[in-house]
Amino acid sequence: MDLSDLDNACMEQMEKQYYKEALLELQSACAVLSISPDPQQWSPEESQKWISWTIYHCNLPQVDVSAFRKSGSQICSLTEKQMRALAPHCGDILYARLDVWQAAFKRMMHPREPLIEIGASQSIFPEQDIGASMMSTKQNQTFQEEKFLKSKPSSKTKSKSRRNEEKTIHLWKFLIQLLQQPRNHQRAVRWLNQEQGVFKIEDSEELARLWGIRKNRPAMNYDKLSRSIRQYYKKGIIRKTEITRRLVYQFVLPII
């Protein structure tokens, strides 16, 4: 496996772990609450169940749950601003958690081809024991096949899905791509401690410029990019390090 293949394998491993965690949470909530994994299908009562469960699970401030007596499709159509209006103290986090749930459900219904496996010695964070908190490959496969999946997508569908994902790449994945190419991009962003997932944005304007090129948004600036990073705090993907340093962040384990 050459360096390029290893970089791609690390990317795939991190993405797989992220969705395994999201799927595990989805499975747990569905079992406890007896609700559909598809939030678009929730009844008003099921929407309220999910709000109450998320508030408890994430230790959020209490809200007036009756304000969320809406169908699943109505809940999913709420903007972050509208969610904050219903829950002033934690609406942004509820919005982010619902976004994660919907992404996990979408991935569950349209699984990608088997991801590349990396041995323990090649793990991007080899010192972290993430196995205990994740579903095994077999458990995840059984969960997907027996609980929710009706049929497997064709190779044509998979290929189209990959192209669509490439067009809609997430910022966290883009950051990893840059970090895995230090020879080309360390002036913009670099690892401080790759084993612990700690990285530093060296040139915020350059990083915003690269992200703007990738998303075909010439007006992209770091203010807009940093808002996306802050959203990742709520989704449990990125956090500030324990000792706060300017423009230094850490990918949250076991997502990475």
Side-chain angles (χ1 to χ4, degrees):
M1 180 179 288
D2 61 27
L3 182 59
S4 177
D5 289 337
L6 182 59
D7 288 345
N8 289 336
C10 288
M11 284 290 301
E12 297 235 11
Q13 183 195 39
M14 289 183 285
E15 186 172 8
K16 182 173 74 170
Q17 290 173 0
Y18 170 73
Y19 281 107
K20 275 189 175 181
E21 284 296 309
L23 283 169
L24 182 59
E25 180 176 323
L26 184 153
Q27 180 192 28
S28 174
C30 287
V32 171
L33 304 176
S34 298
I35 62 176
S36 168
D38 181 3
Q40 294 282 346
Q41 302 302 317
W42 291 343
S43 67
E45 292 76 14
E46 289 174 328
S47 295
Q48 289 180 302
K49 281 184 180 181
W50 180 82
I51 292 293
S52 296
W53 179 84
T54 303
I55 289 171
Y56 172 78
H57 185 71
C58 299
N59 195 28
L60 302 177
Q62 291 299 313
V63 303
D64 180 6
V65 178
S66 65
F68 291 90
R69 188 174 176 78
K70 304 176 184 292
S71 67
S73 60
Q74 289 175 312
I75 290 290
C76 291
S77 68
L78 292 175
T79 64
E80 183 177 352
K81 183 178 180 179
Q82 290 171 328
M83 192 76 85
R84 286 201 307 267
L86 295 176
H89 300 296
C90 61
D92 54 344
I93 298 178
L94 291 173
Y95 179 85
R97 301 300 296 183
L98 182 60
D99 186 54
V100 170
W101 182 293
Q102 292 185 87
F105 175 73
K106 182 178 179 181
R107 175 58 62 90
M108 182 178 64
M109 298 305 296
H110 302 285
R112 292 173 54 175
E113 296 174 355
L115 296 171
I116 300 171
E117 295 290 346
I118 302 179
S121 62
Q122 295 175 315
S123 173
I124 194 166
F125 300 125
E127 296 180 0
Q128 301 296 331
D129 180 11
I130 60 175
S133 64
M134 293 170 50
M135 300 166 65
S136 67
T137 301
K138 183 177 181 180
Q139 286 175 322
N140 189 38
Q141 182 178 358
T142 301
F143 161 59
Q144 290 180 337
E145 292 178 351
E146 293 184 356
K147 295 291 184 180
F148 304 111
L149 297 182
K150 302 299 183 182
S151 62
K152 294 183 178 180
S154 65
S155 58
K156 183 177 180 180
T157 300
K158 291 175 182 177
S159 177
K160 182 177 179 181
S161 176
R162 281 185 176 273
R163 289 196 300 270
N164 289 338
E165 287 178 6
E166 182 64 19
K167 291 179 181 178
T168 58
I169 185 171
H170 295 291
L171 175 58
W172 70 267
K173 190 172 182 179
F174 178 72
L175 287 170
I176 293 291
Q177 289 179 344
L178 299 186
L179 288 163
Q180 294 297 331
Q181 302 175 48
R183 189 172 294 181
N184 298 325
H185 302 299
Q186 64 179 353
R187 188 167 69 86
V189 60
R190 67 182 178 90
W191 290 116
L192 293 184
N193 186 329
Q194 184 171 351
E195 291 183 349
Q196 297 298 323
V198 178
F199 66 96
K200 181 180 181 182
I201 297 173
E202 294 286 358
D203 188 333
S204 57
E205 292 184 1
E206 174 66 8
L207 180 61
R209 185 185 72 83
L210 292 171
W211 183 232
I213 292 172
R214 181 63 182 81
K215 298 293 287 184
N216 193 26
R217 295 178 183 173
M220 177 61 64
N221 56 44
Y222 187 69
D223 283 342
K224 296 176 182 177
L225 185 147
S226 63
R227 283 198 291 271
S228 296
I229 291 178
R230 288 194 294 273
Q231 281 293 318
Y232 287 152
Y233 297 172
K234 304 163 189 172
K235 295 183 180 183
I237 298 175
I238 289 176
R239 66 186 173 201
K240 293 293 289 183
T241 52
E242 292 183 6
I243 300 176
T244 302
R245 295 171 57 187
R246 185 173 181 273
L247 299 180
V248 174
Y249 303 91
Q250 182 175 23
F251 287 104
V252 178
L253 298 175
I255 289 174
I256 298 300

